[in-house]
Amino acid sequence: PQNKKRKAALAYRENIQKGDKIVTIGGIHGKVDSLKDTTVVIVVEGGMKIEMEKSAVSMDASMQMTEESVKQATWFSSFSSWH
């Protein structure tokens, strides 16, 4: 299952196109402005452009949360409030 997720994420990153709305692994939401071999430039709210490695792209912003991501978010929430 983990290998399948890794392959799907890699395939998604390789097919990112200008105009796609994405979310980074750090939680930054933006729209793809331009692409290079290993980097992507996104535009965030306010028009600021950020260049980052493609490997920092987590998912398509239009993707719905899966049951797994809901569980992870719930766990993280409860863990954060505990500390």
Side-chain angles (χ1 to χ4, degrees):
Q2 195 70 13
N3 208 15
K4 189 176 181 180
K5 281 184 182 180
R6 185 180 55 79
K7 286 181 182 179
L10 182 59
Y12 169 71
R13 289 181 191 126
E14 289 175 352
N15 292 303
I16 294 173
Q17 297 180 355
K18 183 175 180 173
D20 287 353
K21 293 181 181 179
I22 56 113
V23 179
T24 69
I25 57 176
I28 298 171
H29 292 246
K31 187 174 182 179
V32 177
D33 184 62
S34 63
L35 299 156
K36 296 180 185 172
D37 287 338
T38 60
T39 62
V40 60
V41 176
I42 64 168
V43 179
V44 296
E45 191 168 333
M48 179 176 276
K49 292 183 179 184
I50 302 172
E51 182 174 8
M52 64 188 65
E53 293 295 316
K54 284 183 180 178
S55 60
V57 176
S58 176
M59 66 177 146
D60 182 339
S62 65
M63 292 176 69
Q64 295 179 351
M65 290 187 79
T66 63
E67 186 177 332
E68 173 87 17
S69 61
V70 170
K71 286 179 186 176
Q72 288 175 352
T74 304
W75 177 85
F76 184 73
S77 254
S78 62
F79 179 78
S80 295
S81 62
W82 180 71
H83 277 73

